[in-house]
Amino acid sequence: MPPRVPSSLRRQTFRCPYELRIARAASTAAASAVTPAAPIEQMTRSPVPIARTPPTQPPSHRSPEYRRSQLLRQYTSLLRTSPLMVLLQHNNLKSTEWAAIRRELTKALRKVDEKIAAEGRTSPELATYIKLQTVQNSIFDVALRIVEYFRPSQAALASGKPPSAVDPVTQTSAELPLFSGSRDDPALTHDLSRAAHIAVKSMKGKHELANLLTGPVAVLSIPAVSPEHMKAALSILTPKEAGFPAPTRKGHPDYYDPTVQLGLQKLNLLAARVDGKVFDIAETKWIGSIEGGMDGLRSQLIMALQSMGSSLTSTLEGAGKSLYFTMESRRSVLEDEQKGEGEGEKSESS
């Protein structure tokens, strides 16, 4: 049996909470008596508005917190930094098939880099930066229109107002009193701004690739115009449609793995986008068939220009030579006529 607590201690324990409350109230009253009251100006002044966006992020027409907005920014950046893109249609590929296809694609692209380095060319290695990814058609279409048709400099001039600096605290600007600090500010010309939205809204469905963005679409992005890398990629992804030979079974046994082959059967070549221009399948084949890459194309261009110059020179020389021979023949005829007339006069006089 536990020991019994004396009644005096029990009464003291019961009084402790009450005494603590009285002590706290007394300390609070003393503190309020010592602390001076806030001035009238501070009480009447309106509080500073809470910043809705961070200082480094301007107001946006499209909410940047949404995934659609982030995908739009990603697609516009991809289109601006990838001068060579190949559009493919995919039909319900599994994640294991995507992984196997990307593995074989990376192997083929690395071999191209090794071949270029072995030839002594100074082209940068591109295999690490070439990506194959799926896209959302509606957002990718908007990104295409923004990149192709929206010009920020022209939008700023059309608004008649220069871009203004937004206060990081109040998110307002004294330079633009009408739309200052608002997402509708016409001076804001980033990809998520209202100016970009209005500029490309009327161009819906007018882009050349708009008709191809139906169904599941994947994009192969290459950060440089490299026909050799494009040929290697198409020989892996769509060898039959592109007309390029597929890797041999002896040299690439993993390429003929059932997972890879099942995935490749679900891929179809649609078109390509090279330096902002759309190329169909036949033109895409021609780009991949350029021997020696861009260096080979430059050499072919130089040879064509040289042949054109030599042919032009020979043509001009031929015209001059024919004129010279004509004049010489005419001179000889005139000389013969003059000699004949002189001999006739001598005979008559004699």
Side-chain angles (χ1 to χ4, degrees), residues 10-300:
R10 282 183 294 176
R11 286 196 301 269
Q12 185 177 1
T13 304
F14 293 150
R15 292 194 191 100
C16 282
Y18 178 71
E19 293 175 354
L20 288 175
R21 286 197 297 271
I22 293 175
R24 288 174 183 172
S27 62
T28 303
S32 60
V34 173
T35 305
I40 299 176
E41 294 81 1
Q42 185 176 356
M43 294 192 308
T44 57
R45 186 188 307 167
S46 59
V48 178
I50 300 176
R52 297 184 178 181
T53 56
T56 57
Q57 177 179 307
S60 304
H61 174 71
R62 304 174 185 269
S63 180
E65 290 83 7
Y66 294 154
R67 183 173 179 269
R68 293 174 60 88
S69 301
Q70 295 300 324
L71 284 177
L72 179 61
R73 296 178 62 184
Q74 178 184 348
Y75 293 160
T76 53
S77 176
L78 184 68
L79 289 167
R80 291 190 180 104
T81 56
S82 301
L84 179 56
M85 302 182 70
V86 180
L87 274 70
L88 305 164
Q89 185 178 15
H90 64 93
N91 298 314
N92 300 323
L93 269 77
K94 300 179 181 178
S95 59
T96 54
E97 295 171 349
W98 275 120
I101 291 173
R102 289 190 177 101
R103 181 194 65 214
E104 296 302 318
L105 180 63
T106 303
K107 289 181 181 179
L109 295 174
R110 286 177 178 172
K111 288 187 177 181
V112 175
D113 289 339
E114 294 174 358
K115 178 183 176 182
I116 293 175
E119 293 177 355
R121 287 186 281 171
T122 58
S123 301
E125 296 183 358
L126 300 178
T128 308
Y129 306 101
I130 297 176
K131 303 295 182 184
L132 177 63
Q133 60 182 352
T134 60
V135 296
Q136 292 193 13
N137 298 342
S138 58
I139 305 176
F140 193 76
D141 180 44
V142 177
L144 274 172
R145 285 183 277 145
I146 290 176
V147 173
E148 294 291 341
Y149 305 121
F150 178 57
R151 298 294 178 267
S153 58
Q154 297 178 4
L157 292 175
S159 65
K161 299 176 181 180
S164 59
V166 180
D167 189 357
V169 178
T170 61
Q171 293 295 309
T172 59
S173 173
E175 298 179 5
L176 297 176
L178 183 59
F179 298 103
S180 58
S182 173
R183 64 179 185 177
D184 298 330
D185 190 343
L188 298 174
T189 56
H190 54 85
D191 292 340
L192 302 181
S193 62
R194 184 172 179 81
H197 172 73
I198 294 174
V200 303
K201 186 177 182 181
S202 60
M203 305 300 294
K204 185 177 182 180
K206 296 183 179 180
H207 195 273
E208 294 178 303
L209 291 176
N211 297 328
L212 299 179
L213 296 177
T214 56
V217 175
V219 172
L220 175 70
S221 59
I222 304 176
V225 180
S226 176
E228 294 173 311
H229 288 86
M230 182 179 179
K231 179 180 179 180
L234 293 180
S235 64
I236 295 293
L237 300 175
T238 56
K240 293 182 179 180
E241 296 181 5
F244 300 128
T248 60
R249 187 183 294 272
K250 183 177 181 180
H252 302 79
D254 294 337
Y255 178 76
Y256 293 90
D257 186 78
T259 305
V260 178
Q261 294 299 315
L262 287 175
L264 294 177
Q265 292 176 4
K266 304 174 184 178
L267 287 177
N268 296 315
L269 179 63
L270 295 178
R273 179 180 179 270
V274 184
D275 285 335
K277 297 181 180 180
V278 179
F279 286 68
D280 58 8
I281 296 179
E283 294 171 334
T284 304
K285 293 179 182 178
W286 173 78
I287 294 174
S289 62
I290 297 175
E291 296 294 336
M294 293 301 296
D295 296 335
L297 185 61
R298 293 187 186 98
S299 62
Q300 293 178 13

